[in-house]
Amino acid sequence: MSQENVKELTGYITGLTKSPKVMILSFQEQQEQGQQSAMALTLETNRYHELFPAGDPILGLEVVVVLKQTSQKMQIEAIYNPEGDFIAADELPEIGQLNHQLDDSKESDLYAALMVDRQKAIDKIEASSSELERLAQEHDADNETKVASIDYGDPFSDQGGQE
């Protein structure tokens, strides 16, 4: 059984280094008596997007980093602005579904979803053969009428054209 220890550090994110697999946050901890210490916090890219779903954090803004340490590793659990707005996770039940949809590329295929919706709408249409024939005749009649073309003349010289 492993021992867990949770620690909160208050400080500032001073830099951000991005790579395909990990993100490195340069963090400057603000300690008592005005002392400061710097450290590099690493995150897997997918965890980075969980902690900062709205994009990159604002550099130099005071944040609290919650670290969870087990006997094997230390992991960032959360990063938040202590002066920012607080929204309880249970008030956002759809956030879990959103994360699942972002992870599943098949569900995020908008074109396929639109094609399925279109086919469902077509399947709901109930029309007799006489109604379909009448609609086809109206469609053909509309295509036969020619749109009158308007001659605006030369837009540069303002010459020519018909009203």
Side-chain angles (χ1 to χ4, degrees):
M1 187 164 139
S2 64
Q3 179 77 15
E4 289 187 4
N5 185 15
V6 177
K7 184 175 182 181
E8 290 188 1
L9 305 174
T10 303
Y12 308 92
I13 297 174
T14 58
L16 179 62
T17 305
K18 296 182 178 185
S19 70
K21 294 188 180 195
V22 295
M23 303 291 184
I24 301 171
L25 301 170
S26 299
F27 183 75
Q28 189 168 0
E29 183 183 9
Q30 184 68 40
Q31 298 176 342
E32 294 178 19
Q33 297 100 20
Q35 297 176 354
Q36 295 181 347
S37 65
M39 63 181 73
L41 304 172
T42 58
L43 288 167
E44 294 176 5
T45 302
N46 61 344
R47 289 269 303 138
Y48 176 80
H49 294 297
E50 288 175 12
L51 292 174
F52 302 107
D56 294 338
I58 299 171
L59 301 179
L61 183 69
E62 183 179 44
V63 294
V64 175
V65 177
V66 180
L67 298 171
K68 183 168 119 180
Q69 182 176 6
T70 62
S71 60
Q72 298 174 355
K73 66 178 181 174
M74 182 177 285
Q75 182 175 354
I76 299 173
E77 287 296 303
I79 298 177
Y80 64 92
N81 177 356
E83 301 297 323
D85 293 334
F86 177 77
I87 300 174
D90 58 352
E91 293 178 14
L92 300 172
E94 64 276 356
I95 201 162
Q97 294 172 346
L98 176 63
N99 288 338
H100 175 69
Q101 288 175 354
L102 293 176
D103 291 341
D104 190 1
S105 62
K106 290 180 183 177
E107 287 186 21
S108 64
D109 185 4
L110 182 62
Y111 182 73
L114 289 174
M115 291 297 291
V116 169
D117 290 344
R118 178 182 177 271
Q119 190 60 44
K120 285 179 184 177
I122 289 172
D123 292 343
K124 287 182 182 178
I125 296 174
E126 295 178 8
S128 67
S129 58
S130 62
E131 288 177 314
L132 292 175
E133 287 176 18
R134 184 180 55 79
L135 288 172
Q137 289 172 353
E138 289 177 11
H139 177 64
D140 292 341
D142 287 343
N143 286 340
E144 288 177 7
T145 59
K146 295 185 180 183
V147 177
S149 62
I150 300 172
D151 181 13
Y152 291 107
D154 186 359
F156 296 106
S157 65
D158 199 25
Q159 300 294 320
Q162 293 178 322
E163 290 189 34

